[in-house]
Amino acid sequence: PARLFSHRSLNSLRSALGLLLSTSRIGTPGFALSFNATSGYVEVPSNCNVNPPIALKSCTSVSGLSAFTFALWINPTSLTTNMTLLDKSGSGSGNNEFRLMLDKHQVYVQLGDETGTWTFEWLLTSPTITAAVWTHIALAWDSIDGLVELFVNGQSAGTRNHIVSNLFAGSANLLIGAAAGPSAFFHGEMDELYIYGARSPCLRRCS
């Protein structure tokens, strides 16, 4: 079975972050995080010894895994260029693991190779993301076939090749809602973040 490394309703991170709470996708008040596009983001330490709010191998590194899945619900307030959903790249070159973004109404993915260099880029042209609508996005990679697959609202949006034996063993913290810097902030709401060490059932929507 798929190994669940992390599952967060994200509202559980609110106290340390100063982010606003909003109504979840199923209508529960206070159970999603609201990001303001200018300064709000979540930073999850890579070092497991500092008691991070999300526990994952290395705590957030995907290095050494033969497969992984990221899945989350988003509700963008606006759609502008370079809005980050998840980023684990640190600063500078040679420290890049993964990045999941929105480029206006399109999903954008970057993955690094064994040396920490960006070698994979994918701008998904269809289906597109709509502002003020909850959308489920899932990203999966498997080293056996070297395929990256994106799912939008439970439907496969296509596959691309990314042939590497394993991903870079980076030390950068995981950022949610911003890229390294921080920069490229997300504007909108997020909920139900899942991170698996395999291809998971959450590709076709998790609650």
Side-chain angles (χ1 to χ4, degrees), residues 77-98:
T77 300
S78 61
L79 292 167
T80 59
T81 301
N82 296 335
M83 293 201 308
T84 307
L85 304 177
L86 301 173
D87 179 82
K88 197 168 192 303
S89 63
S91 58
S93 60
N95 195 29
N96 303 313
E97 292 185 51
F98 59 83

Side-chain angles (χ1 to χ4, degrees), residues 66-196:
S66 60
F68 66 76
T69 299
F70 306 127
L72 73 164
W73 286 90
I74 63 168
N75 182 20
T77 300
S78 61
L79 292 167
T80 59
T81 301
N82 296 335
M83 293 201 308
T84 307
L85 304 177
L86 301 173
D87 179 82
K88 197 168 192 303
S89 63
S91 58
S93 60
N95 195 29
N96 303 313
E97 292 185 51
F98 59 83
R99 182 180 289 156
L100 181 63
M101 307 181 76
L102 295 182
D103 188 359
K104 295 183 179 179
H105 57 277
Q106 297 173 313
V107 179
Y108 178 62
V109 179
Q110 286 183 292
L111 295 175
D113 63 10
E114 297 95 329
T115 68
T117 301
W118 293 127
T119 56
F120 177 90
E121 294 183 287
W122 183 6
L123 182 63
L124 183 68
T125 57
S126 179
T128 57
I129 306 301
T130 303
V133 174
W134 279 104
T135 301
H136 187 262
I137 297 175
L139 169 68
W141 170 76
D142 192 325
S143 65
I144 296 175
D145 55 18
L147 288 180
V148 180
E149 187 167 14
L150 269 169
F151 286 73
V152 178
N153 286 330
Q155 301 298 315
S156 177
T159 60
R160 295 290 188 276
N161 290 322
H162 184 51
I163 309 297
V164 294
S165 57
N166 55 67
L167 299 183
F168 177 65
S171 59
N173 292 344
L174 170 67
L175 300 186
I176 304 171
S183 61
F185 295 95
F186 177 69
H187 188 200
E189 300 162 319
M190 290 191 204
D191 200 8
E192 297 293 337
L193 169 63
Y194 287 78
I195 302 176
Y196 278 84

